């Protein structure tokens, strides 16, 4: 990707979902630290009193299992069942709500500086602090890895 206009050819994801996947380093998308998605701003911060009592702490965000599955499928092409066991470290699951919880945050946005096409068909985009590699999955771009500086 040599021209500025080429960077704009990547589809825009709602709520800047790709930015969520830039909060942690991983060599394989299935090893993504899922708690980092919450720290980067994923999930609802509006929790019921019952949820707060079961969690025993505030400052958390919630994604239902269906919402997390959808986010993973849209951004990585993987589902919850495809994630490694270590990806769930730092998450709390409450079966009563079929939802995952982790400390909430808001990492903001990044601006890509430049990118390049790789011989294997992937694309690597450089941003301040790291490089994210995207691959095509069923005609859409999904996150393959994110390497922090």
């Amino acid at each position: 990707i040599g021209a500025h206009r080429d960077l704009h050819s990547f589809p825009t994801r709602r709520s800047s979902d790709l930015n969520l996947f830039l909060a942690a380093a991983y060599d394989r998308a299935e090893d993504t630290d899922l708690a980092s998605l919450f720290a980067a701003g994923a999930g609802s911060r509006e929790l019921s009193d019952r949820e707060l009592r079961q969690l025993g702490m505030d400052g958390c965000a919630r994604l239902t299992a269906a919402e997390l599955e959808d986010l993973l499928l849209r951004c990585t092409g993987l589902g919850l069942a495809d994630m490694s066991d270590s990806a769930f470290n730092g998450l709390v699951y409450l079966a009563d709500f079929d939802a995952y919880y982790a400390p909430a945050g808001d990492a903001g946005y990044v601006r890509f500086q430049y990118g390049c096409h790789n011989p294997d068909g992937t694309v690597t985009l450089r941003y301040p602090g790291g490089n994210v590699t995207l691959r095509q999955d069923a005609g859409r771009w999904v996150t393959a890895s994110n390497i922090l500086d």
Side-chain angles (χ1 to χ4, degrees):
I1 299 177
H4 182 263
R5 66 180 158 71
D6 290 337
L7 286 176
H8 294 286
S9 69
F10 288 98
T12 303
R13 294 191 174 94
R14 67 179 179 209
S15 304
S16 192
D17 291 342
L18 177 58
N19 281 307
L20 298 172
F21 287 83
L22 303 181
Y26 47 90
D27 292 324
R28 301 174 332 129
E30 44 271 67
D31 297 326
T32 301
D33 173 7
L34 296 176
S36 72
L37 302 178
F38 292 82
S44 171
R45 282 131 178 95
E46 295 181 24
L47 307 182
S48 69
D49 289 339
R50 192 168 150 231
E51 286 172 295
L52 291 170
R53 277 193 305 277
Q54 285 190 33
L55 285 170
M57 61 181 160
D58 355 333
C60 288
R62 171 194 64 238
L63 282 172
T64 66
E67 291 168 336
L68 184 53
E69 175 88 4
D70 179 63
L71 177 65
L72 288 169
L73 286 170
R74 282 186 287 116
C75 294
T76 68
L78 304 171
L80 285 169
D82 301 313
M83 303 306 289
S84 67
D85 290 343
S86 65
F88 293 90
N89 291 344
L91 294 184
V92 174
Y93 177 76
L94 295 181
D96 288 353
F97 302 96
D98 191 24
Y100 292 91
Y101 302 81
D106 186 8
Y109 299 92
V110 300
R111 171 165 276 166
F112 295 114
Q113 298 167 317
Y114 58 87
C116 64
H117 290 276
N118 301 312
D120 64 358
T122 61
V123 170
T124 300
L125 300 174
R126 174 74 184 153
Y127 62 92
N131 296 296
V132 62
T133 299
L134 306 174
R135 64 178 174 79
Q136 287 222 329
D137 179 52
R140 60 195 168 93
W141 291 99
V142 296
T143 308
S145 68
N146 185 53
I147 308 300
L148 300 177
D149 292 341

